[in-house]
Amino acid sequence: VHPRRAMLRDVLDAAVSRGDVPADADIDTAVIALIGSYYAAYLADGAVNDDWPERAVRALLPGLRSPAE
């Protein structure tokens, strides 16, 4: 789990650097939410749909953005 957490953190840190995610976003909580939703989907269905990454990011990204955006 730790290598995957690090990968997700790197991706989200890069999004912060690009300005896609605010610098004050709670990246640790975002990583936990993404990993948790992945495992929840897997445990519920025995597999994760191919479109899960896009759906998970669409669901989570608005919560990481500043309210004014």
Side-chain angles (χ1 to χ4, degrees), residues 26-65:
D26 188 346
I27 300 301
D28 290 328
T29 298
V31 168
I32 291 167
L34 287 168
I35 290 173
S37 68
Y38 179 86
Y39 281 114
Y42 180 79
L43 290 173
D45 298 326
V48 178
N49 294 332
D50 290 340
D51 66 342
W52 174 85
E54 291 84 12
R55 291 175 40 222
V57 169
R58 269 198 315 268
L60 182 64
L61 191 57
L64 294 174
R65 292 194 172 137

Side-chain angles (χ1 to χ4, degrees), residues 1-13 31 35:
V1 173
H2 291 290
R4 298 217 191 279
R5 286 179 61 108
M7 277 191 327
L8 283 171
R9 184 161 188 62
D10 290 346
V11 168
L12 291 170
D13 285 341
V31 168
I35 290 173

